[in-house]
Amino acid sequence: MKLIAGVDIGNSTTEVCISQIDSEGKMRFLSSSSRATTGTKGTVANTAGIIDALGNAMEKIKKPVNELSLIRINEAAPVIGDTAMETITETIITESSMIGHNPSTPAGAGQAAGMTIYLEHLSEGREETPYIVVAGSGTSYDEIAKTINQHAKRLFIVGLILQADEGVLVENRLDRKLPIVDEVKRIHDIPEWKEAAIEVALAGQTIRMLSNPYGIATLLKLNAEETRAVTPIAKSLIGKRSAVVIKTPHGNVKENILPAGEIRIHAKEDCIVSIDAGADKIMEVLAGAGEVQDISGQKNTNIGNMLEKIRSGMGELTKEQAGEIKITDILAVDTLAPVMIAGSLAGETCMEKAVGVAAMVKTKQLPMEKIAEELKKQLHIYVKVAGVEAVMAALGALTTPGTKLPLAILDLGGGSTDAAIIHEDGNVAITHKAGAGELVSMLIQTELGLSSRYIAEEIKKYPLAKIESLYHMRLESGAIHFFDEPVEPKYFGNVVLLKPDDMIILEDDIPMEKIVFVRKEAKKKVFVKNAIRALTEVAPEHNLRRIDHVVLVGGSAEDFEVPEMLMEEFANYKIVCGRGNIRASEGPRNAVATGLVLSYIGAGNDHK
Ligand code: ADP
Ligand code: MG
């Protein structure tokens, strides 16, 4: 009896499985484990993670690692999916001062236009001019109210901007009611003696005038050209409960100088496509180009800079000259990216149309032999580089109950979406397409304007609910769920992520419906698109209808909704498609590691 291990080193995850082979050659799987890959895939730095994962799997069967008689590692594909996504847009920077926010306790209601004036300068005000008063937190609410009441006898005061969260306190003390925007932190950035418009929405409503370009034009008396320039401001104020827009008379708009640029696809015949044409057009041109040698971008443009960055980044990782690195595939997706508005007083952004791109880079053969040597040196166990990753994945996937040859697999990973098909005669076709789980997380992060990738990852993985009372929540499906016991008050009114044994409050104030929409769209844009691209390439005669069974494997096949999306899509082609269940126990994980062990029997005596 001997113990052998299969080890799959992925971009994100290193997976291991341990199997026992008895004297008659019968195989029995004993345990498996996984952990994050250490270092870049295909480098010696992977050894630490491998040893750790092996230790973990052996511990589960209470045996030391040195009882293993053979370790089989994957022959990694010489392609790396780069996760760098840049949003490419001809940024419009609007120079106009504005404030738009949702103070927790707004005061007053209505809209007004007037000239900005600091509280301390009210005595300099003129009788015929409407004024919007700006008051810093150095003055108490009592004092502010008193000063305004006093000057309101002589001056026409139409609105008030406060630094402190004291809108209601001031309002209660005013003789005449005004719209008040409070909690404006950078109040000293507000220029004085400028035309400004202010709006506070009625309770339970959002602003109507300042979130509409023509509304701003009405209040600030703008011409057609100026109205066009304030459109990004209006867009960024949609959904706010209060806002201020200040007219800055000089140099209102600066157009960005960096054009989006063109993508050049080097194939049998070179093709050129403009980024402005949008993702669908780019992907259409790419699909029509045939076998791609390299992809580059026009120099000194957004796309040109981005593709060069990927090339040089990959060059550093694989120690190759940037010139030798070839980009063999890209996935372009239409997205929205927040663009900072210059002159905003609270960091307001507006969403601009953009194109995101993930790229696939071809490198020299990855030095898996070096990893094998290093493992041998450290563990004194025979190590064999044993099989092409995608083929091993297909072998492993075949252990899913209900499958048979010919079988197609889709390996939905972090950086790339890979497809393989094994025919009855043992023939195999494989392909690697740029874009997978990490691109989905990036799209979620940019489109929702989240501060951390970690939160985007969490949003990708778990469904949402809104805690509507301490006794019940509304699930994203619309269903109501009652708690057995009342939840802690901190959850009340919040949108939460439903983790298996925990509820995580989302701090960013984004409506649940919007998060769900962005999340689903991001998954569709990446996985549905890539699944079709990849399978079409490996299908007999590139015809999807010639495929009967597709098994989904890899980390992103664990997703709670991606398999359903693909199942629905492939139903159109009469393809049976579902999440794999490797060895009827591992779910979509461990396919490559399992395949590596299974192929040992087929490979015969490849070791002593
Ligand atoms: P690789 O083979 O390249 O190492 P994996 O197969 O480990 O990659 O897949 C990694 C990807 O799987 C990551 O993008 C990660 O976010 C995603 N992932 C892992 N678990 C889940 C989950 N439960 N739901 C959705 N995505 C997941
Ligand atoms: Mg993998």
Side-chain angles (χ1 to χ4, degrees), residues 11-12 83 413-415 436-443 453 457 460 556:
N11 279 315
S12 330
T83 54
E438 287 175 25
L439 180 60
V440 171
S441 305
M442 259 189 246
L443 288 172
R453 174 64 55 79
E457 277 271 337
K460 175 175 85 173
S556 299

Side-chain angles (χ1 to χ4, degrees), residues 268-282:
K268 227 186 200 142
E269 277 177 33
D270 286 5
C271 320
I272 289 183
V273 56
S274 164
I275 284 286
D276 289 332
D280 285 346
K281 181 72 191 169
I282 296 170

Side-chain angles (χ1 to χ4, degrees), residues 400 550-552 557-564 577-581 587-588:
T400 295
V550 176
V551 170
L552 306 174
E558 296 214 62
D559 191 281
F560 69 98
E561 58 194 349
V562 165
E564 282 81 2
C577 169
R579 186 186 282 123
N581 191 10

